[in-house]
Amino acid sequence: MDWQPDEQGLQQVLQLLKDSQSPNTATQRIVQDKLKQLNQFPDFNNYLIFVLTRLKSEDEPTRSLSGLILKNNVKAHYQSFPPPVADFIKQECLNNIGDASSLIRATIGILITTIASKGELQMWPELLPQLCNLLNSEDYNTCEGAFGALQKICEDSSELLDSDALNRPLNIMIPKFLQFFKHCSPKIRSHAIACVNQFIMDRAQALMDNIDTFIEHLFALAVDDDPEVRKNVCRALVMLLEVRIDRLIPHMHSIIQYMLQRTQDHDENVALEACEFWLTLAEQPICKDVLASHLVQLIPILVNGMKYSEIDIILLKGDVEEDEAVPDSEQDIKPRFHKSRTVTLPHEAERPDGSEDAEDDDDDDALSDWNLRKCSAAALDVLANVFREELLPHLLPLLKGLLFHPEWVVKESGILVLGAIAEGCMQGMVPYLPELIPHLIQCLSDKKALVRSIACWTLSRYAHWVVSQPPDMHLKPLMTELLKRILDGNKRVQEAACSAFATLEEEACTELVPYLSYILDTLVFAFGKYQHKNLLILYDAIGTLADSVGHHLNQPEYIQKLMPPLIQKWNELKDEDKDLFPLLECLSSVATALQSGFLPYCEPVYQRCVTLVQKTLAQAMMYTQHPEQYEAPDKDFMIVALDLLSGLAEGLGGHVEQLVARSNIMTLLFQCMQDSMPEVRQSSFALLGDLTKACFIHVKPCIAEFMPILGTNLNPEFISVCNNATWAIGEICMQMGAEMQPYVQMVLNNLVEIINRPNTPKTLVEGVREE
């Protein structure tokens, strides 16, 4: 018996679908309420599928929307659909997967996948056999619709399809898909490759059994006219390079030749997929052997791919030179991650690793996340690390032409090339740097903002060399020009200059002391000039400066310049504002550097940190007791506050004693040390160690409660937590001396176990040995 809609009900649903396409927010709200009401009636879902599959007289967007609302209902309430409703929906999907409209076919495909992903692949045994059967249909729409649905299922449930739970349907599906690589329709060829591609990375057995046929079929499609097919062929070869390189090695020469062509494909998506091949190949041990003879062709192709495309320039507003007065849009600001405090022993001072991918902290990140330019630059970077100086004979002749080119786009790409090879080819570049660095410094005042910003980034990649020369040669001119760029009229340049300056600070350290007054004037001036996003980077540059020059910052004139704007921001921000994170991190570095110079500011800063910890703990408690009423707190507030308290204790030493005496920090610390989140425990042990050094009289009464907690956290599974707990125990031992006796047993066994454990990280063993 087939379900039939009630005419009046159908009109009601259609009206609702029409209203939901209205731009008016009041109408939208009514629609949402109405949907909630209708969802009380299970057969509302029958109406939705009916409109999608049967009402051919309606316009496609309305039918498709009906399917998408149904998809959301399936996602939220499928378990409570009565069986007749669920069966009707499934039946309608399979009967109409070949709808004449490609939009409706795609919508039905999405709906099928959503049902399948609700644990229904097991409960809908006829789904896969029927879809595979429909592939044989003479009707193009049916074949294409079924393939579209299968591709989505393969994407969503690849692991399940290769499991015993379903009796390994892949054994039938993979050979079936391979037959369609030769289909006359490019859309169907493309679906077939995309389906098989889903199983490469997991090395599905059914695919491994057919691997040679698969590769043979891929080669046959190498020169396909359709860009989507070529893209999927490239993607397959890149993944095979990672998981079955043994099967590609016999054909490597011709694959490389093919990829050289595809990396220049006139379709940017194909070129991007092909360019990934060089990135992946660089990670393989055979890279040097197989690629050496092709560098002469590859290098110019990668360099050419590093130019901004016309689309990039439009997206990046490359023609807008001054935008500093334009407020930032909030979605441009990426979430930042707090770097938790790990205590390093003095001889263990680890430098943060500054060797990021060629492009990551520089340009066009907010807009087009990954594009041919970035991929080409990243590939050149990794290849420079593989081939080192051997790359230069292929590059240097090109670079000359690029760096002095009259067209700014070409010149800009040359500067990017120079930055991308900085890490791998440093030794070979040294003879050219005395000439190149002044040229790059000159590019910092180019009239194009995109040239200025890339010059900032590239110079930061050579900061180590600049600092190794006599300061007047390059450091002073570079610093002078970078500080001007920090005050540039273009926001992208401000950002690049601030990041580059932070890198320079890390390399130069106390070399910067003679210029501190001038540096601080610039950074403080930038406070009044910067929009939201760049302010956050400015905090980082100030914090890094404090880390780099340390106690040299503790001069009355420097403190008078730096502290008022920081405290002003501190007062403006509310307790729940995430902009507190970078500011607290910055102040933590400043407090550590200024030492007693921070005393006039310490009281309000200390109080607020304690309040942040207390608020977060209280919120966590409410959430645990009544999760339905309260939200889980963002514990980052507490972590960052604990770290700033550590900075205060470290910087102020004994002076912190009266602040601790007037607060309940020891009680709060006792709670933080038992928090479920490792980062909270990590920061609380760092603070415990710092307080032990600064004012042991307040720690001593708590030792009996604290020691067992420290003992249980000597767990090498959480390396940083364990490291900090070990360090805190060491500090306590030094203060307690013989009085430590009663507590030794609590921690000794775990410490010995860590030392004797194979492959314990070096830092941890050294930390333990110090005890």
Side-chain angles (χ1 to χ4, degrees), residues 150 153-155 157-162 170 173-174 177 193-208 239 243:
L150 279 166
I153 292 171
C154 291
E155 283 167 14
S157 315
S158 64
E159 282 177 30
L160 190 57
L161 292 174
D162 191 27
L170 279 196
M173 291 163 73
I174 297 259
F177 295 153
I193 312 172
C195 283
V196 180
N197 281 357
Q198 290 304 321
F199 303 99
I200 300 177
M201 294 312 285
D202 294 335
R203 302 167 190 262
Q205 195 50 52
L207 176 56
M208 293 302 130
M239 291 190 286
V243 298

Side-chain angles (χ1 to χ4, degrees), residues 94-154:
L94 283 172
N95 290 345
N96 294 280
I97 189 76
D99 194 279
S101 145
S102 64
L103 176 65
I104 302 303
R105 292 199 297 274
T107 309
I108 294 175
I110 291 170
L111 188 52
I112 288 177
T113 320
T114 310
I115 295 172
S117 68
K118 296 305 276 184
E120 279 292 299
L121 266 177
Q122 288 95 319
M123 305 296 292
W124 192 359
E126 67 275 20
L127 172 64
L128 292 172
Q130 284 208 17
L131 286 175
C132 285
N133 209 15
L134 291 171
L135 295 181
N136 301 330
S137 167
E138 293 296 306
D139 173 49
Y140 168 79
N141 291 339
T142 305
C143 177
E144 198 277 324
F147 241 135
L150 279 166
Q151 184 180 332
K152 292 182 183 80
I153 292 171
C154 291

Side-chain angles (χ1 to χ4, degrees), residues 671-687:
Q671 289 172 266
C672 293
M673 285 165 61
Q674 299 173 77
D675 197 273
S676 58
M677 190 173 173
E679 291 79 3
V680 175
R681 301 201 301 278
Q682 178 183 331
S683 292
S684 50
F685 296 142
L687 176 55

